[in-house]
Amino acid sequence: NQGSPEGKAAARAGLRLNDYIIAINSKPLRNMSAREFTAHVKLNYKSGQKLPLTLLRNGKRIQFQWPLQ
């Protein structure tokens, strides 16, 4: 949701509408809600780090480094 604070941060970082996050640090996400994803990131990563994600964009897997603020 690009209207939420998280959505705006994602858009600033370079994530696009219809990107699907399928893995964090090469570990597949399975049935993780947005709330669980946010909690995982806050517990395991610090501001200033880059969050290594695997995205599905237009049917292709891409590696993405999301700079955390």
Side-chain angles (χ1 to χ4, degrees):
N1 180 350
Q2 291 186 339
S4 71
E6 294 86 359
K8 290 177 183 177
R12 279 193 308 272
L15 290 173
R16 300 179 188 168
L17 190 61
N18 297 321
D19 278 350
Y20 294 95
I21 299 171
I22 58 173
I24 300 174
N25 203 19
S26 300
K27 295 178 184 160
L29 301 180
R30 290 202 168 78
N31 302 319
M32 186 181 284
S33 70
R35 181 172 285 167
E36 290 169 325
F37 175 83
T38 300
H40 174 81
V41 171
K42 286 181 178 182
L43 289 171
N44 294 286
Y45 297 89
K46 296 178 182 167
S47 180
Q49 288 184 302
K50 290 186 178 180
L51 181 62
L53 300 174
T54 304
L55 305 178
L56 190 60
R57 179 181 284 171
N58 298 324
K60 296 179 182 175
R61 287 178 181 246
I62 64 167
Q63 299 304 309
F64 186 85
Q65 298 290 316
W66 183 348
L68 299 175
Q69 297 179 351

